[in-house]
Amino acid sequence: NPRLTGDSGRVDVRPLTFRVPKSQVQKNRSAESPNGMSAVLAAASLATDADKPIRVMIVDDAVVARRLLTRWIDAEPDLTVVASLRTGREAVDQVARSGCDVVVLDVDMPELDGIAALPLLFEQKRDLVVIMVSTLTRRGAEVSLQALSLGAADYIAKPQAALDAGPLVSFQRELLEKIRSLGRRGRTLARLETHREKPVAVRSPTTSSLERLDSPPPAETPRFRLRSFTPVLPRVLLIGSSTGGPQALTALISQIGAAIERAPTLITQHMPPTFTTVLAEHLTRVGGRRVHEAEHGEAVVAGSVYLAPGGRHMRVVRGDGGPRIALGDDPAVNFCKPAVDPLLSSAAQVWGAGSLALILTGMGSDGARGAAAIAAAGGSVIAQDEATSVVWGMPRVVAQAGLCSAVLPLGEIAAKINRLIAGGRA
């Protein structure tokens, strides 16, 4: 079989500090402009830019992989390949003049591998979207998490053989979906930043341009209907996440120790096998408490953090002595396995109004049905906001369906969760 994978070896993976995604730049308002023309021009530029195909650079030392990915991407009317390269060094040399929006970057390559090339690519193009491609191995999982900590937007694990039809179809669908979703968001943010008006007079003239860019925008009126938080004390915390999830979980898990002590915490992150093992180990290091892959039949108790293992759905069932974990090998839900919906739906049946669900960054709509079940049972749902999400897909669907009691920036979620589970006022 033609191979899609490169060579394997050891990598020194140190504890990771993830680069938190920057807040989206506030959209221009005509009221803040003398004549409103800047906002009009920005909107027109965005509309024109949205019509252009997303420009993709492929970097992989395997010629079979480059040809296959090029054929897939060029077959999509809204995507186009602008460069197909063999090494990270070639990518660094050509990224600026290629005009690419997205780089699909292999991990194992000669001369300059993906991890070494990553920071050099960002030096050439700071708003670049990079999707790492790695193997379904422990080393691939470790390197993927390391790449996320260095600023990669996401990763994708490739199948072992080009003729392995089933996994190959899933790989193709996932890759195109990520290129499209991440590429559009990255392009929009870059254009908004380019056309953003200068700060108005209320801002201090001594504030640097970088500080202004990173400052959160003023609070806006919610664009969706919010529900009241349940008066029932939450007895469980349920978290669902996908693209951008490892970064968000890393920021969150070390801050919700008080909540974890009072209520069990169950997490479903869209990840393949082995990747969830490495993620659990990483979250244990950064959070200072054990996060482990859930085991079938184990008791669900306060003080423990359970992570759905890759390739299996995690549900909760009533059992002798209290709730227990039920792992299933049933088909994918929302193209995902594990999926968030099975966890939330089962939790609604077990804890009812005592359920507190959190939907973090991710593409797609997984978690919406489960969140609806939580709300119908009287529980509460919190969604991460658009500004701090890598992809505002999963939380957007839940928020716009009117299922949320709060839609918050990532930096405010931990305090809210700790207060709710401690019995404080919402």
Side-chain angles (χ1 to χ4, degrees), residues 175-218:
L175 176 67
L176 295 176
E177 184 179 72
K178 290 185 175 184
I179 291 173
R180 185 172 285 116
S181 181
L182 293 168
R184 285 173 179 167
R185 180 184 185 275
R187 176 182 283 178
T188 299
L189 292 180
R191 300 296 293 179
L192 284 172
E193 181 176 330
T194 299
H195 292 282
R196 189 173 68 94
E197 291 183 322
K198 294 181 180 179
V200 292
V202 295
R203 289 191 180 272
S204 168
T206 60
T207 306
S208 71
S209 60
L210 181 60
E211 289 170 333
R212 292 190 189 107
L213 186 62
D214 288 340
S215 298

Side-chain angles (χ1 to χ4, degrees), residues 10 135-143 274 277-278 281 285:
R10 299 290 299 170
T135 56
L136 275 169
T137 63
R138 180 178 179 87
R139 177 180 179 274
E142 290 171 340
V143 171
T274 306
T277 303
V278 174
E281 294 170 357
R285 289 194 298 269

Side-chain angles (χ1 to χ4, degrees), residues 27-40 197 200:
K27 293 181 175 65
N28 292 314
R29 297 187 179 90
S30 59
E32 297 174 348
S33 172
N35 55 20
M37 285 304 296
S38 179
V40 172
E197 291 183 322
V200 292

Side-chain angles (χ1 to χ4, degrees), residues 310-336:
R312 303 188 74 184
H313 295 305
M314 179 171 69
R315 296 179 174 86
V316 186
V317 296
R318 294 186 179 93
D320 294 338
R324 293 189 175 274
I325 296 291
L327 299 180
D329 195 27
D330 41 317
V333 176
N334 303 314
F335 300 104
C336 303

Side-chain angles (χ1 to χ4, degrees), residues 58-141:
I58 299 169
V59 190
D60 195 312
D61 65 318
V63 64
V64 172
R66 293 199 304 274
R67 290 174 178 170
L68 192 62
L69 269 57
T70 297
R71 186 166 72 246
W72 288 345
I73 294 169
D74 278 342
E76 301 294 313
D78 58 337
L79 308 177
T80 185
V81 174
V82 296
S84 178
L85 308 174
R86 191 179 69 89
T87 72
R89 175 58 61 193
E90 293 176 352
V92 172
D93 291 342
Q94 298 187 36
V95 66
R97 64 175 179 268
S98 72
C100 64
D101 303 300
V102 178
V103 173
V104 179
L105 184 64
D106 192 35
V107 168
D108 294 307
M109 294 179 293
E111 296 183 39
L112 192 70
D113 65 23
I115 290 296
L118 195 56
L120 300 179
L121 289 170
F122 287 129
E123 287 180 7
Q124 296 293 320
K125 199 172 190 292
R126 65 188 297 266
D127 58 350
L128 191 65
V129 172
V130 179
I131 301 173
M132 303 299 297
V133 181
S134 61
T135 56
L136 275 169
T137 63
R138 180 178 179 87
R139 177 180 179 274

Side-chain angles (χ1 to χ4, degrees), residues 299-310:
V300 179
V301 296
S304 295
V305 183
Y306 308 81
L307 179 66

Side-chain angles (χ1 to χ4, degrees), residues 250-272:
T250 296
L252 185 68
I253 201 71
S254 61
Q255 302 177 45
I256 58 170
I260 293 171
E261 288 300 322
R262 294 172 178 267
T265 299
L266 294 88
I267 304 170
T268 292
Q269 161 70 41
H270 295 166
M271 268 188 167

